[in-house]
Amino acid sequence: RGQVLPVIKGCVVGVVLSFKKIGERRAIQQSRIVTNEYLWKIIVHDLPPNATNLRSLRSIWHKLNVLK
């Protein structure tokens, strides 16, 4: 509808706020006390217990890859 100024203002505010948030995120990451390796070790790298369909699909996928 020809309202260019609100669009431009929104884009400028979005860019300014994103730079602010990047700085805040950098400060948070620098003050962390847990390492990435520790987090990787405690994450369960498997499907949830109730994902029976995904488990069967995964087993079929593994069988097909073994046959190649």
Side-chain angles (χ1 to χ4, degrees):
R1 297 187 305 184
Q3 298 175 351
V4 177
L5 290 178
V7 172
I8 294 172
K9 180 182 176 185
C11 290
V12 169
V13 169
V15 169
V16 169
L17 289 179
S18 66
F19 282 119
K20 179 181 176 186
K21 290 299 174 185
I22 288 172
E24 290 176 2
R25 187 70 193 148
R26 184 172 290 135
I28 290 170
Q29 286 295 321
Q30 288 175 350
S31 67
R32 68 178 181 219
I33 55 175
V34 176
T35 63
N36 289 339
E37 292 80 18
Y38 173 73
L39 290 175
W40 188 254
K41 288 178 187 177
I42 65 171
I43 293 175
V44 177
H45 297 284
D46 196 17
L47 295 171
N50 60 350
T52 55
N53 291 337
L54 288 175
R55 288 181 189 280
S56 63
L57 183 64
R58 182 176 62 180
S59 68
I60 292 170
W61 178 256
H62 286 301
K63 288 177 185 175
L64 289 175
N65 283 336
V66 170
L67 295 176
K68 288 183 180 180

